[in-house]
Amino acid sequence: MRSRLPLTVLAFVSALSSACPSPAADALPPVPASSEHLADALAPADEAAARSAWRGMNEFDQPGVARAGERNVLRLPCRFAGTTTERASYDYARKLDINGCRGIEFQFHSRDCSSISSFSVYFRSGQGWYHGHFFPDRQNAWSTVRIDKHATRTEGTPSGWGNVDLIRVSAWRGRDADTEFCLADLRLVGADAPIAIIRGEALAERDPGEAKAAAHFAEIMDRQVTRLGLDCISLSDTALDAAALANRKLVILPLNGHLPDASAAALRSYLAGGGKMLAFYNLSGELARAAGIEGGPHVRQKAPGDFASIRPSDTPLPGLPAQTAQASWNIHAAKPVEGKSRIAAYWYNAAGQSTGHAALIASDNCVFMTHVLLDDGPPNKQQMLLAMIASLRPDLPAGAIERQIAQAGQIAGAKDLDDLARTLREQKASDAAQVELKRAGEQVQAARQHLKSKQWAQAMDAVAAARGHALRAWCMAQQPQANEHRAFWCHSAFGVKDMTWEEVARKLADNGFTAVIPNMLWGGSAYYKSDVLPVRPEVAERGDQVALAAAACRKAGIACHVWKVNFNCGHKAPPEFLSKLRAEGRVQIDQAGKEIEGPWLCPSDPANRKLEIDAMVELARKYDIDGVHFDYIRYPGRQGCYCEGCRKRFEQAAGPAVKNWPGDLRRDKELEQKWLQWRRDNITAVVAGTAEILRKEKPKVKISAAVFSNYAVDRDTVGQDWKLWCERGWVDFVCPMDYTANDGHFETLVGQQKQWAGKVPCYPGIGLSCWGEKDVCNVASKIAIARRLKTGGFTIFNLGPMEANEILPLLGLGITRP
Ligand SMILES: [Zn+2]
């Protein structure tokens, strides 16, 4: 009963009940009740027990105990005042089998996280780690933190979730102030999920790039299955066994290029015992035989559009959409086995002709798709996936769709459609919003009817329509704020696909946006008629993009701040330009003497700095633009730059020769500080040099920068001294890239950044396009936080087709209404 109450209520109730008799001064509210937990190390008997279980990374990281209600909880201090440590970090050595569940959960409490930039949880397994991030939703109250396995990244070569032998919790430095946090009730969650997604980790050692892709597609699959309303867990393909697969209704192989023999054998036994499998892209050998499908050769597209959509054959899966768009670039041309399987759908090209290649092959125990499932083309993609699942497990869709119906009104924290209606009435939502709500209700009724007659696809269409109406109603009820800087970064120099710059600028203005920041130049390429940088060939065909964007913005009445990727040459610089740079020793070199991938211009090289400044100044001189915008105005990381030129120039600047280059730069603490300051100065020189010219020549042109979120640490790691740029007035606004989807984290970051920026406006970057769920309500709640913190504006990443066509119009209905 108690555990159903929201945590905030629990915290309130417990605060009342613990008010008398008075608790110890540092006592915390009781930990919310939860089911059993597995690590008593989070409830140490005393300080000695805490210290024997948990080991700090720094000698001053000493774990302790706090009292929470009637219990002890683990207390982990973070010593950031007067230290230079990047993080407070604690290790707990314990063998743990996390294989058969979705992830872990624990309770978290901190009175004040404002000196912490983010948290990490690491799981050590074999020769590698799984790494997850979190930030609590609330401060000064207990909150539940969930780390899902599928959302973790691997580092090194971990040997499966069954072999975890150490948990590490790290709090990353945000600013120089001490704090502490408490943990309780570590437990495993989701063990009973009916669907297991097999993550391709076996590749990590031989092909890290492919392993990254495997993790990516496993995550997409998790998201798609969860959106359908089905529970799933993630299992590593390094250590599949009968126990992990037992009782699963379905296993999904999203991209598993190298299944270890033992894991393939476990899957075969699972199929032999009545198990069912969805497999994507890779299926061969014994496992293909067990699935009744014949693997096939790799077929690459000859031109984009060769594989454009999936359409049913004359023996399709029930409920398969008539056409599901997916722009694939290659397939494995698998074939059915007579008497065992059939082609259920074919690939069609962009001209609408069948390619003759199978897209879906179905047997009794398996549906195989000849490419991976991409995260595009909703809502048909969802219906196709459900049809694939339903053909193997007809009992799964009904429950999934019921859950979708229940979720249709769950918008911005509302429990259901009725709750949403109540909230909107309180906000005195307009008649138009009420009409949208009514339509949402009608579509929910329609979905229920379709569900009764088992018409899954129609039911899903109705749910999607219901959700669309409910979302519009909520968006209409949001209120704009006057005089706000509202900008979108636009990563393409050509604006948005299938739109002209005039259409892009008009659409932004129509939805209340005041500025766009289009990416027009890099370290070694320009999408305009530059006299300084190599000009991209597209400029001859499609025109000078700065001129087009600037004119379009002027016409629509919005500002155009031209964005340069500094130092990083990307893949668009001409080879002869790069060879010349290399010959002149102008690209960044790491500690091992290797060129850093990019390549990146070395910022201590005077010729490179001149190139960067000249390009920024050229924009302001030639075009009628509102501003120039720095990005990548930093080093790539700690690894840059150790080239010969840097050695010479640093020794000149810092004094005597560095005996052991570059080792001494880290070993000698005094020298290290000089080195870090020198790196900052190199980057700053480009900002200051640009400002010096533009303030004189073009005082109305604004100078701005996209900056890393955690200045306190990033000033050392990437040499980005943006607090100084603000203090000296070299920039007119900064856009810290606060791409977290978590509100609490965003608020903490922006709160800190406002202080670093001082009098210079800080328009925080909202990372919409980086989020797994590209949710307009989440954008709106970030905007609300920016308003609460009085930033005066915000900047959203990134204006692509989805953002321009789906999110922007929803924002324009309310929160950015012009
Ligand atoms: Zn260098």
Side-chain angles (χ1 to χ4, degrees):
M1 206 30 220
R2 271 193 72 174
S3 65
R4 299 226 177 129
L5 286 171
L7 291 176
T8 41
V9 175
L10 278 177
F12 178 65
V13 170
S14 61
L16 285 181
S17 59
S18 63
C20 181
S22 144
D26 63 346
L28 306 175
V31 184
S34 66
S35 58
E36 62 193 293
H37 44 93
L38 55 86
D40 43 7
L42 297 193
D46 52 29
E47 204 129 280
R51 287 181 187 181
S52 81
W54 291 81
R55 184 173 297 271
M57 184 177 276
N58 305 297
E59 65 221 25
F60 46 80
D61 290 340
Q62 290 291 344
V65 174
R67 199 73 185 148
E70 300 298 304
R71 298 169 45 187
N72 282 354
V73 295
L74 180 70
R75 187 173 60 85
L76 299 174
C78 309
R79 300 271 170 257
F80 295 144
T83 68
T84 56
T85 187
E86 282 185 352
R87 56 173 153 167
S89 196
Y90 294 91
D91 287 357
Y92 170 46
R94 181 194 156 126
K95 285 206 183 306
L96 209 53
D97 184 351
I98 313 181
N99 213 18
C101 64
R102 185 172 169 84
I104 65 156
E105 225 172 60
F106 53 86
Q107 295 295 321
F108 176 97
H109 187 288
S110 175
R111 289 203 169 91
D112 180 5
C113 296
S114 64
S115 58
I116 296 169
S117 69
S118 71
F119 293 88
S120 293
V121 182
Y122 297 87
F123 304 87
R124 189 175 70 188
S125 160
Q127 299 300 304
W129 301 82
Y130 300 101
H131 177 191
H133 291 283
F134 76 92
F135 202 87
D137 293 332
R138 281 181 307 278
Q139 301 196 28
N140 210 13
W142 285 101
S143 55
T144 304
V145 172
R146 163 88 79 95
I147 306 284
D148 280 344
K149 290 188 313 190
H150 72 87
T152 61
R153 294 274 168 261
T154 57
E155 294 177 7
T157 51
S159 62
W161 285 94
N163 298 316
V164 170
D165 63 358
L166 184 136
I167 299 178
R168 170 174 294 171
V169 181
S170 298
W172 296 90
R173 166 191 290 269
R175 61 186 172 87
D176 299 345
D178 290 345
T179 186
E180 62 180 30
F181 61 97
C182 293
L183 304 178
D185 286 4
L186 177 70
R187 60 201 188 93
L188 306 181
V189 289
D192 52 357
I195 296 177
I197 295 168
I198 314 299
R199 188 157 108 155
E201 292 173 6
L203 282 156
E205 203 157 347
R206 65 168 69 178
D207 190 346
E210 190 65 16
K212 226 173 169 177
H216 174 68
F217 287 109
E219 198 172 342
I220 286 179
M221 188 59 68
D222 184 282
R223 203 154 53 227
Q224 296 277 10
V225 170
T226 305
R227 270 186 206 147
L228 281 175
L230 293 164
D231 289 327
C232 59
I233 66 158
S234 164
L235 299 177
S236 168
D237 69 353
T238 54
L240 277 185
D241 58 26
L245 298 175
N247 301 322
R248 306 289 175 203
K249 293 204 162 197
L250 184 71
V251 299
I252 302 181
L253 273 59
L255 177 64
N256 303 73
H258 175 73
L259 264 182
D261 291 344
S263 297
L267 284 168
R268 287 202 307 277
S269 322
Y270 166 77
L271 291 178
K276 310 279 181 179
M277 178 169 80
L278 290 189
F280 293 82
Y281 193 55
N282 296 301
L283 188 61
S284 57
E286 294 282 320
L287 186 59
R289 264 188 290 285
I293 291 167
E294 189 188 328
H298 181 252
V299 177
R300 189 184 294 273
Q301 68 179 6
K302 291 192 184 73
D306 281 358
F307 302 112
S309 68
I310 296 165
R311 303 189 193 189
S313 69
D314 48 15
T315 53
L317 307 176
L320 200 63
Q323 177 174 338
T324 304
Q326 170 159 315
S328 286
W329 52 93
N330 62 8
I331 60 165
H332 276 137
K335 291 194 178 73
V337 173
E338 199 171 341
K340 291 202 167 156
S341 57
R342 68 181 200 279
I343 294 178
Y346 287 98
W347 284 106
Y348 280 63
N349 65 21
Q353 298 151 333
S354 175
T355 62
H357 286 298
L360 301 177
I361 300 175
S363 70
D364 284 348
N365 59 12
C366 178
V367 177
F368 177 63
M369 178 166 160
T370 54
H371 192 220
V372 292
L373 192 77
L374 300 179
D375 206 5
D376 62 356
N380 283 10
K381 191 58 69 70
Q382 291 266 290
Q383 292 179 6
M384 179 178 87
L385 184 61
L386 192 68
M388 291 164 77
I389 293 171
S391 74
L392 296 167
R393 290 294 187 193
D395 54 327
L396 286 177
I401 287 170
E402 268 182 46
R403 198 188 268 189
Q404 287 181 35
I405 291 174
Q407 289 169 344
Q410 290 176 1
I411 299 218
K415 287 199 300 289
D416 53 30
L417 216 46
D418 291 339
D419 191 29
L420 181 66
R422 249 191 315 277
T423 310
L424 296 194
R425 267 199 306 277
E426 280 163 18
Q427 294 176 351
K428 302 202 167 34
S430 64
D431 290 349
Q434 301 296 347
V435 169
E436 292 288 345
L437 266 185
K438 188 161 163 278
R439 292 202 177 128
E442 289 161 4
Q443 289 295 335
V444 162
Q445 289 311 320
R448 292 214 171 95
Q449 289 303 319
H450 293 308
L451 178 61
K452 258 188 210 155
S453 48
K454 297 192 174 179
Q455 292 173 301
W456 312 134
Q458 290 87 336
M460 281 178 71
D461 279 341
V463 173
R467 189 161 177 89
H469 288 302
L471 195 58
R472 284 176 63 81
W474 184 85
C475 287
M476 286 170 167
Q478 308 312 302
Q479 295 305 320
Q481 189 173 74
N483 301 321
E484 204 168 45
H485 174 94
R486 301 176 186 146
F488 253 107
W489 277 294
C490 182
H491 203 281
S492 167
F494 303 98
V496 178
K497 193 166 181 277
D498 300 328
M499 290 169 83
T500 63
W501 265 117
E502 281 216 3
E503 288 164 338
V504 171
R506 169 58 48 208
K507 193 157 191 176
L508 284 166
D510 285 349
N511 288 290
F513 275 71
T514 63
V516 66
I517 309 177
N519 179 203
M520 295 292 185
L521 59 163
W522 290 64
S525 54
Y527 288 87
Y528 62 97
K529 290 173 184 150
S530 176
D531 297 321
V532 178
L533 288 169
V535 177
R536 291 288 306 160
E538 292 94 325
V539 172
E541 301 147 26
R542 301 176 65 178
D544 181 318
Q545 297 304 307
V546 176
L548 289 170
C553 288
R554 194 61 69 227
K555 194 169 164 195
I558 65 169
C560 179
H561 298 269
V562 177
W563 159 14
K564 180 178 196 301
V565 170
N566 297 97
F567 301 118
N568 190 332
C569 293
H571 59 286
K572 296 287 171 74
E576 62 278 11
F577 174 82
L578 293 179
S579 332
K580 183 168 175 285
L581 289 181
R582 288 186 180 114
E584 294 172 0
R586 287 170 60 182
V587 298
Q588 290 196 42
I589 303 292
D590 67 13
Q591 284 106 318
K594 277 205 331 238
E595 182 179 308
I596 294 173
E597 196 183 321
W600 291 63
L601 300 173
C602 167
S604 80
D605 188 307
N608 288 341
R609 284 191 204 164
K610 183 172 182 321
L611 182 65
E612 289 289 325
I613 295 170
D614 285 352
M616 297 302 268
V617 168
E618 174 187 43
L619 289 168
R621 280 184 184 149
K622 276 192 184 168
Y623 299 95
D624 181 18
I625 55 174
D626 299 273
V628 290
H629 185 73
F630 289 104
D631 185 22
Y632 283 68
I633 185 75
R634 58 178 174 84
Y635 283 88
R638 282 201 184 275
Q639 74 269 38
C641 169
Y642 297 88
C643 75
E644 272 309 303
C646 276
R647 180 175 191 172
K648 222 167 48 204
R649 291 185 283 269
F650 176 65
E651 286 175 344
Q652 251 164 28
V658 181
K659 259 190 255 157
N660 298 300
W661 178 272
D664 284 355
L665 299 176
R666 288 216 114 177
R667 273 191 292 274
D668 179 336
K669 287 295 155 200
E670 198 182 322
L671 194 63
E672 185 185 34
Q673 288 310 310
K674 275 189 188 170
W675 168 250
L676 294 174
Q677 184 57 45
W678 184 74
R679 290 168 92 233
R680 281 192 284 276
D681 293 345
N682 288 329
I683 302 292
T684 292
V686 170
V687 179
T690 304
E692 196 184 338
I693 300 172
L694 290 188
R695 294 306 189 212
K696 268 187 235 143
E697 275 189 40
K698 293 279 174 185
K700 283 190 185 152
V701 169
K702 295 233 157 100
I703 303 173
S704 60
V707 295
F708 271 22
S709 62
N710 187 16
Y711 167 77
V713 169
D714 303 327
R715 63 198 290 272
D716 284 340
T717 48
V718 298
Q720 192 175 59
D721 211 356
W722 62 266
K723 180 167 171 278
L724 180 78
W725 310 342
C726 293
E727 285 164 5
R728 297 291 168 87
W730 291 324
V731 286
D732 296 293
F733 62 89
V734 283
C735 310
M737 295 177 278
D738 300 331
Y739 292 171
T740 173
N742 178 298
D743 280 355
H745 195 191
F746 185 81
E747 183 152 7
T748 301
L749 290 173
V750 179
Q752 284 167 9
Q753 290 154 356
K754 279 258 305 175
Q755 294 178 16
W756 290 324
K759 287 186 185 137
V760 169
C762 169
Y763 302 138
I766 299 171
L768 166 66
S769 307
C770 310
W771 299 339
E773 289 295 341
K774 293 168 185 55
D775 175 12
V776 68
C777 302
N778 201 349
V779 176
S781 74
K782 300 291 179 294
I783 293 174
I785 290 167
R787 286 178 184 168
R788 210 158 56 234
L789 296 174
K790 299 190 166 44
T791 63
F794 53 86
T795 316
I796 304 178
F797 182 82
N798 159 60
L799 192 67
M802 191 285 293
E803 292 80 359
N805 296 320
E806 292 172 37
I807 303 289
L808 180 58
L810 288 174
L811 292 171
L813 287 177
I815 198 152
T816 65
R817 194 163 49 225

